Amino acid sequence: MATNPTYTISDLAREFDLTTRAIRFYEDMGLLQPQREGPGGRNRVYSARDRTRLKLTLRAKRLGLSLTEARDIIDTYDSPRDTGPQLRKFLTVLAGHRRQLEEQMADLVANLEEIKVHEKEARALLDKVEKGSKAGGTG
């Protein structure tokens, strides 16, 4: 009889390069739901489902989603397997983040252009100052 794999908090921390504190935080946010074992339920035992949810959470974070958004999307995968609503919700969230990133990129491009203008002006002024000091020093 095959048993489902289980993981300790240290196993997951090592695999995903996280602190155990971060994993406990994800648990507090409702993203993970480990079983409790041992005296007073002190030992957390994570299932393959928890591992997958952690992996999806970290992927969502890389995409710029908040933990609440990540949890909402991941929770839809635990619901009945009608993937249409899940995919629509995911696409809506991704579209919002795309717009936000595009706005940030436009702001960055504008800032870089402004920096180029200031650099050009500063170089021109520096050239004048250096030429002026050379001309004044030779007379």
Side-chain angles (χ1 to χ4, degrees), residues 56-65 90 94 97-98 101:
L56 291 171
T57 298
L58 296 174
R59 186 175 298 158
K61 275 187 63 183
R62 280 194 308 274
L63 289 172
L65 277 64
F90 187 53
L94 287 178
H97 281 283
R98 174 188 291 274
L101 289 172

Side-chain angles (χ1 to χ4, degrees), residues 96-108:
H97 281 283
R98 174 188 291 274
R99 277 191 301 279
Q100 184 180 15
L101 289 172
E102 286 171 346
E103 289 170 8
Q104 290 173 350
M105 192 175 344
D107 289 344
L108 287 172

Side-chain angles (χ1 to χ4, degrees), residues 101-120:
L101 289 172
E102 286 171 346
E103 289 170 8
Q104 290 173 350
M105 192 175 344
D107 289 344
L108 287 172
V109 167
N111 286 342
L112 286 171
E113 291 302 317
E114 191 173 338
I115 286 171
K116 286 178 188 176
V117 168
H118 290 298
E119 284 175 331
K120 185 176 180 182

Side-chain angles (χ1 to χ4, degrees), residues 5 29 31 41 52 64 69 75 105 124 132 138:
M29 291 291 295
L31 289 155
T52 299
E69 290 169 322
D75 283 347
M105 192 175 344
T138 58

Side-chain angles (χ1 to χ4, degrees), residues 24-90:
R24 286 191 297 272
F25 177 73
Y26 294 145
E27 182 182 335
D28 291 342
M29 291 291 295
L31 289 155
L32 306 174
Q33 299 167 342
Q35 298 295 314
R36 299 293 190 133
E37 292 182 355
R42 290 185 49 178
N43 300 329
R44 292 169 168 86
V45 178
Y46 295 89
S47 66
R49 175 185 175 272
D50 288 314
R51 182 184 170 279
T52 299
R53 288 176 66 91
L54 179 58
K55 190 175 188 176
L56 291 171
T57 298
L58 296 174
R59 186 175 298 158
K61 275 187 63 183
R62 280 194 308 274
L63 289 172
L65 277 64
S66 71
L67 291 179
T68 302
E69 290 169 322
R71 185 187 62 225
D72 290 347
I73 290 170
I74 293 167
D75 283 347
T76 63
Y77 285 92
D78 286 339
S79 65
R81 301 307 278 168
D82 182 6
T83 56
Q86 296 165 355
L87 292 172
R88 276 191 287 283
K89 180 173 185 146
F90 187 53

